[in-house]
Structure formats: C-alpha cells, structure tokens
Amino acid sequence: MAGAGEEAAAIGDLFLILMVGAAVIWSLVVGAAVYAHRRRAHPGLEREARLFVIWGGVVFPVLLIGALLVWGLFLLKGITADEGDLTVRVDGERWWWRVTYETPTGDVVTANEIRLPQGRTALFRLTADDVIHAFWVPALGGKMDMVPGRETTLALTPKKLGNWGGLCAEFCGGAHALMRFDAVVMAPDAFETWLAREAETAQVAADDPGFQVFLDEGCGACHTIRGTQAAGPVGPDLTHLAGREKLGAGLYEMTPEHMARWITDTHAMKPDIDMPPYPHLSGPRLDTLVDFLMRLE
Ligand code: CUA
C-alpha cells in the first residue's frame, strides 16, 4: 500500500489484509446464517452442525487469529527495533518537540523539525517532559506514545523525498492540536551536509544590535543560541532557527512577518503556550530583533 516509508507500507499491508479478510469472513458468516435459516431439519443435522461449529467456530478462528498475531508481533518488533543507522531523541514538550541527533562527535540539538536521510533507518528514542504525547508521522510509519519517565522506541525508514509532516497523536492539553512538526526526508548527502551545519554554533557578533535586544528582553533565559551566552534550557533551541521551514512547531512559514507577530501576539498565534508575548516591542526595535532571528540559519 502507499506510504513514504517501509514501516508505513508494512502497516498498510496489514491493514489491507485485515479489511479484506474481515469482508470475506463477514460474507461467509452471513451466508451461513442464511443457509441455516433455509435448511430443513433431518436426522444427521445435529452432527453436521456440531462439526461446523468445531471447524468453523473454533479451529479456523484460532489458526487465523494466531497467524495474524504472529505477523503483528513480527511487525511490531521491526518498528520498535533498537538499532538504526542513526539515532534521534525526541522529547515531547508542551507543545513542541525537542530534537537531539546523537552523532559520534556529540549531540546536535534542534527543535520542531526532523530531517531524515532517504533509505536509512532512523531509530527514535522517545520520551516526554511533562504529560503523555504521541509521536506520529503518518506517511512514514506508526505512532508511538511518549511517556514521562520512560523511553519508547520507533524505527522509521523513509523511502520518498519530501516534507511529510508529523503531529502529536495523544491529547496533551491546550495546544495539542497545534503540536506539529516537519519531517523532511533528504538525499543522504544533503542530510549529512545539513547535520554538519546544524552542529555548528551560531555566528553572532558580540555587538549585533538584534542580539542586544534579544538579551535585553530576557529571551536567553529560556532559549539557547549555541556559541553565545544565551543558554536557556526551557524553550526551543534557536541556534539555526531561520534554517527551519516552519515557526511555532510546524504551524507557520518562517517569514519575518510571522516572526514579528509571534513575538508580539504569541497567544493569538498559538494559544496556551508558556512563551509570554512581548506586545511592548514595536518599530525599529522589533525589526532589529526579527532581523537578527532571521539570520540564525
Ligand atoms: Cu502533545 Cu498532544
């Protein structure tokens, strides 16, 4: 069946078999009921009926459901594998995604955008910071719960290039429906280039006027920009913010207009989130800050 990843295809096949199988069995059961209704009693009927119940009602379902169970368990083993060509940790936050690539040279932290190399198996190690979330990229594979204090795993092997989009699939509070992310499948070479760049620190001049506004407003208390003194652990890492396709966890195109509105009218853009709005910012001061953020590529 269609899908952009191996695991989605396997789940799609299972779904198709279940649906077709259910339709066939439903037809047989209805057929048997109609047949029984029209059948006239005769001396051997009771024995025939008993045999029919034993074969059709016990042996056949046990074999069929047993086979489906074994198939399903193998499939589950594949999609919750504990090995991959790369490992990505994702923490569910309210209401965004903290993303950490584990590389031989150390962790690379980003947020709300997951880039994956085509044809490689990515092992996701999932957890949550506060409440239960669920990680789901429908085009690539199954969903998996993210539980505080516990780690779950999920393997995804994307086959097709593109941005397939992901979302939270477990009701987790106010902005649950707006807890989305981008899942971008890239050619392996392009992915390696992207990851190497993502690992770099930001190039920020100490006297950058936009960075001064950033610090003055206290943004660095919550956000980290690697390579600067802004090292807040609360909100998304902003080191390569402008390199992401979307703003606000998969919600808005990354444009200066959206950025300005995000800062000043935050809760109209995304209700209930912890980030406070900065409505007092306007004019050149806001422009300077937005310009600075849009240079964090
Ligand atoms: Cu996170 Cu719903």
Side-chain angles (χ1 to χ4, degrees), residues 95 133 168 170-172 176 179:
W95 286 273
H133 304 272
C168 180
E170 178 77 40
F171 180 71
C172 54
H176 157 72
M179 186 172 170

Side-chain angles (χ1 to χ4, degrees), residues 22 188 251 279:
L251 293 184

Side-chain angles (χ1 to χ4, degrees), residues 7 10-11 74-81 142 144 153-156:
E7 292 77 11
I11 294 168
F74 268 103
L75 204 137
L76 190 67
K77 195 163 179 288
I79 63 178
T80 56
M144 184 58 70
T153 59
L154 180 74
L156 293 179

Side-chain angles (χ1 to χ4, degrees), residues 7 17 50 59-60 65 112 130 143 158 160 255 265 295:
E7 292 77 11
I17 297 280
R50 198 175 302 124
V59 178
F60 175 69
I65 293 170
N112 301 329
D130 35 42
K143 61 182 91 159
K160 292 185 193 159
T255 65
D265 202 7
R295 280 187 279 118

Side-chain angles (χ1 to χ4, degrees), residues 19 33 72 81 91 101-102 106 116 130 141 151 166 176 201 217 264 283 290:
M19 290 308 285
D91 293 326
Y101 288 80
E102 294 181 357
L116 297 171
D130 35 42
E151 187 180 277
H176 157 72
T201 55
E217 295 294 334
T264 53
V290 169

Side-chain angles (χ1 to χ4, degrees), residues 1-2 9 11-12 49 67 112 122 130 146 175 203 221 233 253 262 272 279 282 292-293:
M1 248 171 85
I11 294 168
N112 301 329
D130 35 42
M146 312 171 89
Q203 300 302 315
E253 295 298 322
W262 180 266
D272 288 338
S282 63
F292 163 69
L293 293 170

